């Protein structure tokens, strides 16, 4: 059974059904092998804090599991029945909070939601550590977003439940990176192979500053796990040092060919995947970085290239691209629900609630 609840595929001359960029089929990511349960079981009871805790095999099994959840109707099995998820958002969010909550509700779990920190004792000066101590009694798993990079450590001082980092200041956004690569692998499943022929390798462009933008940071870290499919990485940023020493060292160690430029026109016509972002919470407010780099339907994009963006967007990503096959950003956002479902089922060990006939798991 195919689950098309999240979006319908428009049938028209302009948006053909086989348009890979706009609506890649999750079943393209599922090969004949079943999903390796023993890999997913490593997530039971764990917290998801950084991309650094993943290896390629774990990312692949999570993405394959998410592809199965996207193409299978499992709500009737009530996989999260009896579980309470606390979504604690101390920074604004459209996609991350609502997709986590949609994931829970579609699996029949329950939610306690804090959409803004000011609705908690934080408004009276309460510490995150104390709020974390309270969470222990109220739920089974916590999803935290916060403007402070140190928020994860502070909450973990007292929290004994699994914690998912939904974006910590200028730190990381690891489940966003999973959603990013889920979209890329649905678009081009051969990028998961350990050997990718040179003509199929991608030139990956990153517009933004990985050193201070958490989504771009996590995306770059995860991209290094898939280096067999990458021909080159180009970082396009107005910053003199967009990577910082740690990421620069990682890129050098990866052996990948990479360059840093401040002019998108140097590379745009050769890029196969363009990952862009512009808004970051820096210090005490939102800043717009790299806003001079704009893409629209008239940009000099390679014919089969795709654009990703964690969103929200400003004018760097023009809506004229929305109805073109370059648009992978809506697939990226929609697919996040299934990535987050895969994480909940794995962390809370609810594999036994899945319908056996539809979910080919193997030990
Ligand atoms: N991708 C993302 O983090 O979006 P939100 O800020 O809307 O959650």
């Amino acid at each position: 059974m195919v689950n098309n609840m999240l979006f319908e595929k428009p049938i028209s001359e302009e948006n053909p059904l086989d348009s890979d960029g706009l609506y890649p089929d999750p079943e393209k990511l599922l090969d004949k092998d079943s999903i390796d349960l023993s890999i997913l079981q490593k997530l039971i009871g764990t917290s998801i804090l950084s991309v650094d805790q993943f290896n390629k095999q774990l990312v692949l099994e999570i993405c394959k599991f998410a592809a199965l959840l996207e193409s299978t109707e499992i709500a009737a099995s009530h996989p999260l029945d009896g579980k309470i998820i606390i979504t604690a958002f101390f920074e604004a969010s459209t996609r991350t909070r609502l997709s986590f909550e949609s994931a829970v509700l579609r699996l029949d779990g329950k939610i306690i939601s804090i959409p803004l920190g000011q609705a908690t004792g934080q408004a009276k000066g309460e510490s995150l550590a104390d709020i974390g101590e309270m969470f222990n009694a109220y739920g089974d798993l916590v999803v935290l977003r916060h403007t402070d990079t140190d928020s994860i450590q502070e909450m973990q001082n007292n929290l004994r439940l699994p914690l998912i980092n939904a974006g910590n200041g200028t730190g990381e956004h690891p489940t966003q990176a999973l959603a990013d690569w889920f979209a890329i692998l649905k678009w081009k499943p051969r990028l998961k192979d350990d050997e990718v022929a040179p003509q199929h390798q991608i030139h990956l462009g990153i517009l933004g500053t990985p050193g201070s933008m958490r989504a771009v940071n996590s995306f770059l870290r995860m991209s290094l796990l898939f280096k067999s499919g990458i021909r080159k990485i180009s970082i396009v940023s107005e910053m003199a040092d967009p990577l910082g020493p740690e990421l620069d060292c990682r890129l050098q160690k990866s052996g990948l060919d990479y360059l840093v430029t401040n002019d998108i026109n140097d590379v745009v016509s050769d890029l196969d995947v363009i990952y862009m972002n512009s808004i970051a919470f820096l210090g005490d407010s939102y800043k717009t970085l790299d806003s001079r780099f704009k893409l629209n339907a008239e940009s000099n994009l390679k014919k089969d290239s795709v654009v990703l963006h964690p969103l929200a967007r400003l004018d760097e990503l023009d809506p004229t691209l929305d109805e073109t096959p370059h648009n992978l950003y809506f697939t990226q956002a929609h697919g996040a629900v299934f990535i987050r479902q895969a994480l909940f089922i794995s962390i809370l060990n609810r594999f036994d609630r899945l319908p056996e006939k539809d979910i080919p798991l193997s030990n």
Side-chain angles (χ1 to χ4, degrees):
M1 282 178 282
V2 174
N3 178 355
N4 265 341
M5 287 183 290
L6 289 180
F7 58 96
E8 295 294 327
K9 295 176 177 181
I11 302 172
S12 73
E13 291 275 314
E14 294 76 33
N15 300 314
L17 283 174
D18 62 355
S19 167
D20 275 350
L22 273 174
Y23 300 105
D25 183 350
E27 297 201 9
K28 289 199 321 193
L29 185 51
L30 299 169
D31 45 32
K32 293 184 191 70
D33 301 335
S34 52
I35 292 165
D36 191 336
L37 185 58
S38 68
I39 302 291
L40 291 175
Q41 282 172 330
K42 294 185 198 312
L43 291 171
I44 296 172
T46 63
S47 293
I48 307 294
L49 306 180
S50 163
V51 167
D52 289 349
Q53 68 195 83
F54 296 117
N55 59 29
K56 180 178 174 181
Q57 196 179 14
L58 180 54
V59 173
L60 282 177
E61 295 307 319
I62 293 169
C63 288
K64 281 163 56 183
F65 190 23
L68 248 170
L69 294 169
E70 186 170 358
S71 54
T72 310
E73 179 58 71
I74 65 158
S77 311
H78 316 294
L80 291 188
D81 189 24
K83 293 293 184 186
I84 298 176
I85 311 299
I86 300 172
T87 52
F89 278 60
F90 293 78
E91 187 205 299
S93 166
T94 302
R95 279 146 294 278
T96 311
R97 183 171 66 85
L98 295 179
S99 64
F100 268 115
E101 296 187 356
S102 172
V104 173
L105 293 171
R106 288 184 190 281
L107 298 177
D108 258 352
K110 294 186 174 61
I111 297 277
I112 298 172
S113 185
I114 299 170
L116 275 178
Q118 284 300 301
T120 72
Q122 187 197 46
K124 301 180 245 181
E126 188 173 24
S127 71
L128 268 184
D130 278 357
I131 292 172
E133 177 60 48
M134 298 304 107
F135 285 170
N136 291 318
Y138 301 153
D140 300 290
L141 185 155
V142 176
V143 180
L144 176 67
R145 164 169 293 188
H146 204 286
T147 50
D148 288 344
T149 309
D150 295 338
S151 54
I152 297 293
Q153 283 72 29
E154 198 187 333
M155 178 152 288
Q156 281 201 311
N157 282 336
N158 289 339
L159 186 72
R160 295 180 292 282
L161 305 176
L163 177 64
I164 296 181
N165 176 7
N168 62 320
T170 58
E172 281 212 55
H173 197 347
T175 67
Q176 177 66 50
L178 286 169
D180 301 340
W181 270 94
F182 182 42
I184 291 174
L185 293 171
K186 281 189 286 185
W187 167 68
K188 223 173 254 285
R190 61 159 60 95
L191 295 179
K192 69 180 168 22
D193 297 344
D194 289 333
E195 286 184 27
V196 179
Q199 69 270 25
H200 296 305
Q201 290 176 325
I202 58 169
H203 183 178
L204 177 59
I206 297 180
L207 277 64
T209 50
S212 57
M213 296 169 116
R214 62 189 177 215
V216 189
N217 180 336
S218 288
F219 176 73
L220 177 57
R221 283 174 198 275
M222 195 165 285
S223 298
L224 296 183
L225 299 179
F226 291 90
K227 65 182 185 179
S228 57
I230 297 176
R231 171 165 59 89
K232 187 173 181 178
I233 295 181
S234 292
I235 314 282
V236 184
S237 172
E238 63 198 13
M239 302 291 175
D241 176 17
L243 291 166
E246 200 252 335
L247 281 173
D248 194 36
C249 180
R250 269 182 193 239
L251 264 168
Q252 285 187 33
K253 273 195 186 153
S254 75
L256 276 170
D257 184 15
Y258 77 97
L259 66 81
V260 176
T261 175
N262 60 13
D263 188 351
I264 190 170
N265 295 313
D266 287 347
V267 289
V268 67
S269 62
D270 188 53
L271 298 177
D272 301 290
V273 174
I274 301 170
Y275 191 97
M276 60 191 319
N277 197 4
S278 74
I279 312 170
F281 195 92
L282 296 179
D284 57 1
S285 61
Y286 295 100
K287 305 271 189 309
T288 306
L289 302 174
D290 301 319
S291 56
R292 67 196 166 124
F293 303 129
K294 300 186 193 328
L295 288 183
N296 61 42
E298 304 303 316
S299 298
N300 191 21
L301 295 167
K302 197 170 173 179
K303 180 174 168 288
D304 297 322
S305 63
V306 289
V307 177
L308 291 108
H309 194 310
L311 306 172
R313 66 176 156 190
L314 297 176
D315 59 357
E316 75 282 355
L317 177 59
D318 194 272
T320 55
L321 274 167
D322 293 358
E323 298 304 322
T324 72
H326 300 296
N327 174 1
L328 199 61
Y329 39 91
F330 287 162
T331 285
Q332 176 191 5
H334 295 155
V337 174
F338 305 105
I339 284 289
R340 287 161 178 153
Q341 286 184 334
L343 291 175
F344 285 138
I345 291 170
S346 301
I347 294 169
L348 296 171
N349 193 14
R350 284 298 176 92
F351 300 109
D352 59 340
R353 307 291 177 104
L354 301 175
E356 262 175 51
K357 66 178 176 45
D358 292 328
I359 306 285
L361 298 169
S362 77
N363 276 300

